[in-house]
Amino acid sequence: MTGTSTTPHQTQLWVGVRLFDGTRTHDEPMTLVVADGRIKQMLPSSKQPAQWESDWPVAGRGGVVTPGLIDCHTHLVFGGNRAGEFEQRLEGVSYAEIAAQGGGILSTVNATRSASEDDLFASAKPRLEALIADGVTTIEIKSGYGLSLEHERKMLRVARRLGRELPVDVMTTFLGAHALPPEYKGRADDYITDVCEHMLPALAAEQLVDAVDVFCENIAFSIDQCERVFTASKQHGLPVKGHVEQLSNQHGSELCAQYQALSVDHIEWLDEAGIAAIQRSGTVATLLPGAFYTLRDTTLPPVEKLRQAGVPMAVATDANPGSSPIFQLTLMLNMACTLFRLTPTEALQGVTQNAARALGLGDTHGLLAEGHAATFCHWQADHPAELAYSVQPNRLLSRVFKGELTPL
Ligand code: DI6
Ligand code: FE
């Protein structure tokens, strides 16, 4: 689906918009000229030549324009759901206890292994459509519920197909080191060997992998095991990132920094040594308030220290069936402010420019400037901060993906 009423080559105007360009909100109402899929011109509406509006159609007037939103951390493709586990947690069983009992991630592994590629596509598609309707134009999708070559391949193929069939850029991440599959019980090092020597080389050769992730945690994989995965990734020229410091401080962030990771994600338990390390490596700190909220965490990520250190912060849904069954990125804007005390500008930057950087796409995505792709959202609001302030679906007036209007 690439849209029906699309006019990618025709020049169109958006007039008198409050513009958040990916890093800041412009003081004056702005006019955007879109042609050939790009932002041809961007200037204050007060300086707009009078004949423009007779020469070219006005596609939008007033409201707010932001870059297309970027969800830089999701587990969108999975089988089944975990509503039963949700109820168990309400009865007081913890996420870590459920994982130790073979539930949690492993129950999704079972459901994902039993699902066909078409099943997985059919279940992920409406979740992605919900994100698209909420303004998402780029999404990262991880594997990690297959945990064998056959099933990780299936997940990554579904992610690629979602990117081909829907108007969204998909970046795939191989998360083989997410959990220990049951057939490797007691043999985690052997599983990591399988990940490094068998799964990763095959999936990389099939062009299914844009980046590699690990879950570095006492209920998942050790620092040494994660380092083996990173070493193998570098041999294949693939960038790395990590689920680190989510439930405890394992110093995964320092390891990530050593391998020039794109991002460190979760990081509730990140300490000062970790902050110093990612500051030096230029790694993005990705905050996942949906998981913090769902798990009712009490340890806050060190936002003020990250801010002082000048570490770029991204914000994402972590959309997954267990710790963040939330498929709405604009809700994360609100949660990042309310729970983590980001400013609305920081939160917006976290789902645009900094999310792009977390995917290695900082030069081409998440920014609106002349010459950049015309991938943006036009919102019913008076000021960009309102997108973080109120939790309100259906504010998207139009969504433009590479110059084409997406039917909403
Ligand atoms: N941390 C997370 O938030 C997801 N994976 C991870 O390592 C949760 C995955 C799940 O609970 O299914
Ligand atoms: Fe995650």
Side-chain angles (χ1 to χ4, degrees):
M1 182 182 78
T2 48
T4 45
S5 61
T6 52
T7 49
H9 301 295
Q10 188 191 324
T11 302
Q12 288 182 295
L13 301 176
W14 272 259
V15 175
V17 301
R18 283 310 288 272
L19 178 68
F20 176 80
D21 65 11
T23 60
R24 70 183 184 96
T25 297
H26 292 244
D27 295 329
E28 283 186 74
M30 299 290 287
T31 292
L32 272 66
V33 184
V34 172
D36 299 319
R38 310 230 144 238
I39 310 279
K40 207 168 125 191
Q41 258 181 287
M42 223 171 77
L43 80 179
S45 299
S46 59
K47 303 209 171 91
Q48 178 190 323
Q51 82 276 9
W52 279 12
E53 290 193 31
S54 34
D55 290 351
W56 299 316
V58 177
R61 198 184 289 281
V64 163
V65 165
T66 66
L69 307 187
I70 300 175
D71 197 349
C72 68
H73 180 140
T74 86
H75 309 249
L76 198 79
V77 173
F78 57 84
N81 73 70
R82 307 239 289 274
E85 175 189 317
F86 176 65
E87 293 193 64
Q88 265 187 293
R89 285 208 311 275
L90 289 172
E91 286 158 14
V93 190
S94 77
Y95 183 75
E97 282 162 355
I98 290 167
Q101 292 160 11
I105 294 175
L106 287 182
S107 73
T108 299
V109 171
N110 287 332
T112 303
R113 286 179 170 182
S114 328
S116 70
E117 210 168 295
D118 283 341
D119 292 339
L120 290 176
F121 180 82
S123 64
K125 187 170 176 246
R127 298 193 279 262
L128 183 51
E129 284 169 340
L131 287 163
I132 286 172
D134 194 43
V136 170
T137 53
T138 301
I139 186 170
E140 185 255 19
I141 301 178
K142 302 177 195 294
S143 68
Y145 294 122
L147 309 184
S148 71
L149 177 57
E150 174 193 357
H151 296 293
E152 290 287 294
R153 175 191 283 130
K154 180 174 69 179
M155 291 186 71
L156 292 167
R157 285 173 54 90
V158 169
R160 284 278 191 250
R161 182 176 160 197
L162 288 164
R164 282 195 305 274
E165 296 195 19
L166 296 170
V168 63
D169 283 329
V170 171
M171 297 295 283
T172 58
T173 299
F174 172 55
L175 178 54
H178 191 199
L180 189 62
E183 60 275 18
Y184 276 96
K185 197 167 172 37
R187 296 188 298 128
D189 284 323
D190 292 344
Y191 177 62
I192 294 297
T193 301
D194 192 5
V195 166
C196 296
E197 293 179 12
H198 183 214
M199 296 162 71
L200 177 57
L203 298 169
E206 292 169 40
Q207 310 282 323
L208 288 171
V209 183
D210 297 324
V212 178
D213 196 351
V214 296
F215 188 14
C216 183
E217 191 54 66
N218 50 25
I219 61 164
F221 295 98
S222 70
I223 285 280
D224 287 350
Q225 290 161 346
C226 293
E227 179 156 23
R228 288 177 59 203
V229 176
F230 285 175
T231 306
S233 305
K234 290 291 167 183
Q235 281 163 3
H236 291 277
L238 292 169
V240 301
K241 60 180 89 174
H243 282 75
V244 294
E245 287 44 292
Q246 180 186 5
L247 308 170
S248 63
N249 186 352
Q250 306 283 325
H251 303 284
S253 299
E254 284 100 309
L255 176 70
C256 285
Q258 212 181 310
Y259 285 81
Q260 277 77 47
L262 291 171
S263 67
V264 290
D265 300 39
H266 288 287
I267 57 167
E268 280 85 346
W269 292 79
L270 182 65
D271 63 11
E272 282 177 30
I275 294 173
I278 61 171
Q279 182 193 34
R280 282 193 297 273
S281 59
T283 298
V284 174
T286 298
L287 305 173
L288 303 170
F292 177 91
Y293 160 84
T294 301
L295 300 179
R296 303 179 79 224
D297 273 347
T298 49
T299 305
L300 284 161
V303 164
E304 180 54 30
K305 287 180 179 155
L306 289 165
R307 187 184 278 137
Q308 277 167 14
V311 172
M313 292 181 277
V315 174
T317 59
D318 195 18
N320 77 69
S323 64
S324 190
I326 306 182
F327 306 93
Q328 189 182 347
L329 187 56
T330 54
L331 174 58
M332 297 304 124
L333 292 173
N334 179 269
M335 284 190 183
C337 297
T338 304
L339 298 173
F340 294 167
R341 314 316 281 169
L342 262 64
T343 66
T345 298
E346 286 172 331
L348 282 165
Q349 191 170 355
V351 297
T352 54
Q353 174 55 200
N354 288 349
R357 291 175 66 177
L359 297 176
L361 301 174
D363 292 338
T364 54
H365 289 60
L367 262 189
L368 288 175
E370 287 178 4
H372 276 239
T375 294
F376 60 84
C377 293
H378 182 212
W379 306 90
Q380 180 139 45
D382 294 328
H383 192 278
E386 287 170 43
L387 298 173
Y389 151 73
S390 71
V391 179
Q392 187 179 338
N394 301 323
R395 278 179 295 195
L396 198 51
L397 295 169
S398 58
R399 175 190 185 274
V400 179
F401 181 67
K402 298 177 184 170
E404 300 196 27
L405 274 164
T406 310
L408 293 175

